[in-house]
Amino acid sequence: MSVATHPVPWGVTRVTAFDPSAPVDVPHVELDPVSQTGRYFDPAGRPIEAGRHGSGKVTSRPTKTAAPGGDKRARDDDSTLDYASD
Amino acid sequence: MTDAPVLVVTSVDDATADPVAQRLFERGVPVARLDPADFLGAEARMSARFGSHGMSGRIRTASREVELCGVRAVWWRRPTPYRERAGRPEPIARFAVNEAGIGFGGVLAALPDCLWVNHPWRNHAAEHKPAQLVTAAACGFTVPETLVTNEVDEARAFADGYAPVVYKPLRHAVLPAADGRAGMIWVGPVVSASLDDSVAGTAHMFQAQVDKVADVRVTVVGRWLFAVRIDGGLLDWRADYDALAYTRIGCPAEVEAAIHRYMAGFGLMFGAFDFALTAAGAWVFLECNPNGQWAWIAEQEDAVADALADLLEKGRI
């Protein structure tokens, strides 16, 4: 039962690939100094209408559950990996 | 305390924070948004002093200055993890990141006399699924038979004894799939024949699959509960959001009472509970994410945002 002979945990066999067809938009975000809300800009620097940007962290977001362009809120796809809990 | 700000601790690209910040702004409630990772760059500064008086000092962001002892409420959303950004080599980078976590994070965690939604250390405790299951049972929820093990014989016996059984990771994980693309692990069925000695490779969680007719998400904000029935016929509804239909429903009194006991047990002001709803109408506890998302469900977005703004503005339960 030594772990050394079983370096890959069984749970890893359960991994499913994300959907590669789903777009992942990476808008530029700045903080509005007055309202303290995010202001989103497309790659050309044009403001994106509020609520029309994909949201949440894109760093490790599964594209299958990611909000594609036109969706507006991070879904319940992440836990402590994407943010600091302490 | 009318001028005391609400501190929103999150990354700049947290769109879920925006509707709440906007509401507070429109109400004239001062809001300061802070991403603690900015302390490791030039964007944010902090000095805190300690002595017999306790703690004093201030935080400065590009657009706000906050007295450490004058915060009304803290909304701990999705801050960026502390990361080395200056390109310093190890072990210097690790030293800097660790000091940031205990120093900046420690000062924030010590902010006095404010409402926490939620305190990050409470979140940390409440994120552990074994603790969730123990607390849920103590609070009176129906809890599925569950096994956490690194022993394959135990796993096989459980899979046979409680079939059908599912495997679910103890924590959200992003891993490379077999083809090298990024992947993740959904909740999925397990048969004992698929189990092998690699169960010894780490902790694995198996759970008796609940025979459900639908799922229920209950989002809790202080004393307010927002229950949404999720229909989609999926074992793990996160696997296909396009297949889901949401309906606001009421929460049975005994479930509501158990939820409030659970929230008090972990010291939470916010929580996102997942239940499996059986044909007989039982609500079976699956988990509670103390920092779950909520805004993607249009049927509850405005109500939850209103409740969060109310709670943060009030600064007390």
Side-chain angles (χ1 to χ4, degrees):
Chain A
M1 292 291 282
S2 111
V3 173
T5 59
H6 308 290
V8 179
W10 180 86
V12 174
T13 65
R14 313 284 292 189
V15 175
T16 306
F18 299 161
D19 179 359
S21 64
V24 177
D25 51 348
V26 186
H28 173 68
V29 194
E30 294 177 1
L31 192 67
D32 182 284
V34 177
S35 68
Q36 300 284 283
T37 58
R39 296 162 63 186
Y40 290 75
F41 301 88
D42 69 16
R46 292 174 298 230
I48 300 173
E49 180 188 348
R52 299 298 293 178
H53 50 76
S55 61
K57 306 293 289 186
V58 296
T59 48
S60 65
R61 188 173 62 185
T63 53
K64 181 69 176 176
T65 61
D71 211 318
K72 62 181 198 171
R73 293 289 181 258
R75 290 158 169 184
D76 205 50
D77 54 3
D78 51 358
S79 183
T80 52
L81 271 194
D82 283 353
Y83 66 96
S85 64
D86 55 5
Chain B
M1 285 290 281
T2 49
D3 292 334
V6 172
L7 187 62
V8 177
V9 180
T10 198
S11 65
V12 68
D13 61 339
D14 176 12
T16 298
D18 290 342
V20 176
Q22 183 68 30
R23 279 164 167 80
L24 293 169
F25 171 68
E26 290 169 359
R27 296 176 188 187
V29 177
V31 174
R33 187 153 158 169
L34 169 72
D35 192 349
D38 287 346
F39 287 125
L40 278 172
E43 302 93 334
R45 290 173 289 157
M46 167 196 287
S47 291
R49 291 188 60 157
F50 304 84
S52 299
H53 68 286
M55 183 173 76
S56 61
R58 69 177 67 82
I59 295 166
R60 293 188 182 92
T61 70
S63 53
R64 289 290 188 275
E65 184 166 320
V66 178
E67 293 292 331
L68 294 177
C69 294
V71 174
R72 175 190 320 222
V74 181
W75 187 25
W76 198 275
R77 261 289 301 174
R78 302 280 172 131
T80 307
Y82 296 107
R83 285 197 190 99
E84 170 61 17
R85 293 193 295 180
R88 293 170 288 197
E90 297 293 353
I92 308 300
R94 177 172 294 273
F95 171 79
V97 167
N98 288 344
E99 290 293 292
I102 303 295
F104 303 130
V107 167
L108 293 174
L111 292 178
D113 305 324
C114 55
L115 178 80
W116 287 93
V117 186
N118 296 314
H119 194 286
W121 298 349
R122 304 279 192 184
N123 276 349
H124 183 70
E127 281 161 359
H128 290 74
K129 285 197 169 74
Q132 292 184 16
L133 296 170
V134 169
T135 302
C139 291
F141 288 114
T142 302
V143 175
E145 289 294 323
T146 305
L147 172 69
V148 176
T149 188
N150 64 348
E151 299 181 284
V152 65
D153 292 344
E154 292 285 338
R156 285 189 177 125
F158 185 85
D160 288 333
Y162 293 98
V165 163
V166 297
Y167 167 75
K168 56 173 77 172
L170 286 138
R171 184 176 181 179
H172 173 78
V174 176
L175 289 165
D179 60 4
R181 282 186 284 144
M184 70 170 288
I185 302 173
W186 306 113
V187 177
V190 174
V191 293
S192 61
S194 71
L195 298 165
D196 59 33
D197 287 344
S198 65
V199 168
T202 190
H204 289 81
M205 186 165 84
F206 303 96
Q207 192 166 65
Q209 182 179 330
V210 180
D211 185 14
K212 66 184 182 184
V213 294
D215 287 275
V216 179
R217 161 60 64 93
V218 181
T219 304
V220 184
V221 180
R223 300 296 298 176
W224 296 292
L225 277 66
F226 305 91
V228 174
R229 177 179 166 132
I230 303 174
D231 286 284
L234 296 168
L235 184 55
D236 185 338
W237 51 256
R238 299 169 305 167
D240 187 1
Y241 286 91
D242 294 336
L244 306 180
Y246 305 106
T247 313
R248 288 277 297 271
I249 60 172
C251 192
E254 67 273 16
V255 173
E256 181 168 343
I259 283 174
H260 287 307
R261 286 194 290 273
Y262 185 102
M263 298 290 287
F266 276 115
L268 303 176
M269 280 289 131
F270 178 92
F273 289 76
D274 287 321
F275 296 94
L277 183 63
T278 71
W283 292 39
V284 180
F285 177 92
L286 295 178
E287 62 182 75
C288 172
N289 184 343
N291 204 358
Q293 299 285 14
W294 47 268
W296 93 92
I297 303 177
E299 288 77 2
Q300 70 169 9
E301 179 186 354
D302 284 339
V304 174
D306 286 342
L308 279 164
D310 289 349
L311 182 63
L312 294 167
E313 177 181 3
K314 201 172 171 186
R316 54 189 162 76
I317 184 73

